[in-house]
Amino acid sequence: MPGENRFKVYISTLEGGSVEVLDLDPATGGLAHIQTIGLSGKGLPLAVSPDRRRLYASVIGDANGGEEPRYDTFRILRPSGELEHLNTVRAPARMAHISVDKTGRYLLGASFPGDVIAAHPIGSRGYVQETPSDLRPAPSKAHQITTDASNRFAFVPNFGAALVMQLKFDDKTGRFEDNDPPALDQPEDSRPRHVAHHPNGRFVFLCNEKEGVVIACALDPGRGTLSEIQRESVMPDGFDDEPWGAQIHVTPDGRQLFTSERRSSTICRFRVDVETGRLSDRHIAETDEIPRCFDIDPSGKWLVSAGQKTNQLIVYAIDADSGELSETARAGTSTEPVWVEIVELA
């Protein structure tokens, strides 16, 4: 029965202007639709609070057809996983990515068109506060913002400036400070897009959208700075069109890394050495057209990818040894799915 499983899949749709809520069966990988709930505009990225009781959505638009950037706050209801809308506030810019810091007290945002990053306090009831605790310029086209396991450092790939900002983060004040050095530089026109943190806290992996590579980096836990270890292509052999990388995730056990590539409509998998952070044993699988977003469930058994062009969710079983993917289920979505978030409810 829909709603009985502890794994819930939340899908934000751009033109659909909604969040789709689905059950993910932890035994079979099957999907069952639970709810479609409207957003206050076109759907952009989602983020979940550490206690998994609130879901936040970055949106663009208003009732009059404008382009006002906003944040929607939802309560995640137990045990069904359905969403209840709580409030909407204005955002300082259209956010390409949002995340919640490890304390659950701040919503962090990175704006691609606005060239800013922001931190917004989250109130005692889980509502995002409209006035940011910090709002500062980014070099060019900030595409993502995440904190490390210690919550002391933040990283912001800048698509237009060929660098990853390295910041100190104060989770008592919600303010940022430049680290030393303030950035990890990347090749010109490489278009840094997203990072993924290894669960052991020692490594960070970077996806460069136009370079078609994944970069393994060591994270200095005391200084909060990155140093490059290795870079590997994510493109299929013989594919000669311009890369268009998208998202990147590491499995919960830290043994596998996956990244999606939209031009070739593929998902690339690497084996991760948990001691050195180095990547090996590349494998590339075809998937639905324009796999802009995907997520891996907390058990590490299932990968759920969305074809932005086909409006389809595809569930893949992840082989525990080889990391290879095998399709197990599909479900349709509203128009243009742009974010996948899998949440385990207690």
Side-chain angles (χ1 to χ4, degrees):
M1 297 262 320
E4 67 182 8
N5 295 308
R6 70 183 190 276
F7 293 148
K8 310 299 174 182
V9 184
Y10 298 92
I11 310 297
S12 174
T13 64
L14 182 64
E15 292 302 323
S18 64
V19 177
E20 308 274 342
V21 186
L22 300 99
D23 250 355
L24 174 64
D25 189 314
T28 68
L31 290 173
H33 186 270
I34 297 172
Q35 180 191 29
T36 298
I37 188 168
L39 294 164
S40 65
K42 296 180 179 181
L44 296 168
L46 304 173
V48 176
S49 61
D51 65 5
R52 292 164 287 178
R53 294 188 177 276
R54 297 289 184 271
L55 181 137
Y56 302 99
S58 172
V59 301
I60 186 75
D62 54 40
N64 299 317
E67 290 291 304
E68 181 178 285
R70 300 178 177 189
Y71 298 125
D72 284 351
T73 298
F74 296 90
R75 177 185 288 116
I76 300 176
L77 302 177
R78 262 90 171 152
S80 70
E82 289 180 304
L83 299 177
E84 176 188 3
H85 181 258
L86 297 178
N87 81 327
T88 299
V89 298
R90 289 178 296 180
R94 173 176 175 162
M95 296 299 172
H97 183 264
I98 56 174
S99 63
V100 183
D101 85 304
K102 302 300 186 293
T103 69
R105 295 198 298 262
Y106 297 96
L107 183 73
L108 312 180
S111 177
F112 183 97
D115 294 330
V116 295
I117 60 171
H120 289 258
I122 295 174
S124 59
R125 294 190 295 170
Y127 293 17
V128 178
Q129 306 301 295
E130 188 168 308
T131 301
S133 53
D134 201 356
L135 177 66
R136 61 176 55 209
S140 179
K141 296 180 171 56
H143 214 303
Q144 185 201 34
I145 182 166
T146 61
T147 56
D148 76 323
S150 75
N151 213 43
R152 297 167 51 216
F153 306 107
F155 301 94
V156 184
N158 270 239
F159 185 92
L163 56 82
V164 179
M165 296 170 69
Q166 302 184 137
L167 299 160
K168 298 177 182 178
F169 177 65
D170 186 334
D171 60 21
K172 295 180 176 58
T173 64
R175 296 191 63 82
F176 302 103
E177 177 185 343
D178 285 345
N179 209 334
D180 181 19
L184 173 72
D185 291 327
Q186 290 295 294
E188 184 177 358
D189 202 36
S190 59
R191 304 294 196 236
R193 180 181 174 90
H194 277 189
V195 298
H197 294 259
H198 195 277
N200 68 15
R202 296 167 48 199
F203 309 110
V204 172
F205 303 94
L206 169 65
C207 167
N208 282 351
E209 180 174 319
K210 294 298 182 185
E211 196 179 9
V213 300
V214 60
I215 300 98
C217 300
L219 169 60
D220 185 318
R223 298 177 57 214
T225 54
L226 302 175
S227 55
E228 186 173 319
I229 299 171
Q230 177 189 12
R231 57 200 309 121
E232 294 288 341
S233 172
V234 303
M235 303 304 297
D237 292 339
F239 191 86
D240 58 4
D241 205 347
E242 183 180 54
W244 195 20
Q247 207 160 21
I248 183 168
H249 287 290
V250 179
T251 53
D253 65 6
R255 295 172 57 206
Q256 311 284 346
L257 177 145
F258 293 88
T259 184
S260 59
E261 207 291 314
R262 288 170 288 182
R263 193 77 65 193
S264 59
S265 294
T266 56
I267 297 174
C268 181
R269 189 275 310 170
F270 290 95
R271 193 181 304 278
V272 181
D273 186 317
V274 299
E275 296 300 325
T276 67
R278 294 190 65 83
L279 306 173
S280 63
D281 193 26
R282 185 183 75 157
H283 179 79
I284 296 177
E286 295 182 358
T287 188
D288 269 31
E289 192 172 358
I290 309 185
R292 177 170 173 170
C293 52
F294 71 94
D295 199 9
I296 297 168
D297 85 292
S299 75
K301 291 175 58 177
W302 311 105
L303 184 151
V304 180
S305 178
Q308 186 178 355
K309 187 76 169 180
T310 61
N311 304 323
Q312 287 280 307
L313 291 183
I314 310 98
V315 182
Y316 295 98
I318 303 173
D319 186 278
D321 295 321
S322 70
E324 293 192 15
L325 302 177
S326 55
E327 183 177 328
T328 64
R330 280 180 173 258
T333 74
S334 299
T335 310
E336 288 198 71
V338 293
W339 197 261
V340 179
E341 194 79 26
I342 305 177
V343 180
E344 183 177 13
L345 302 186

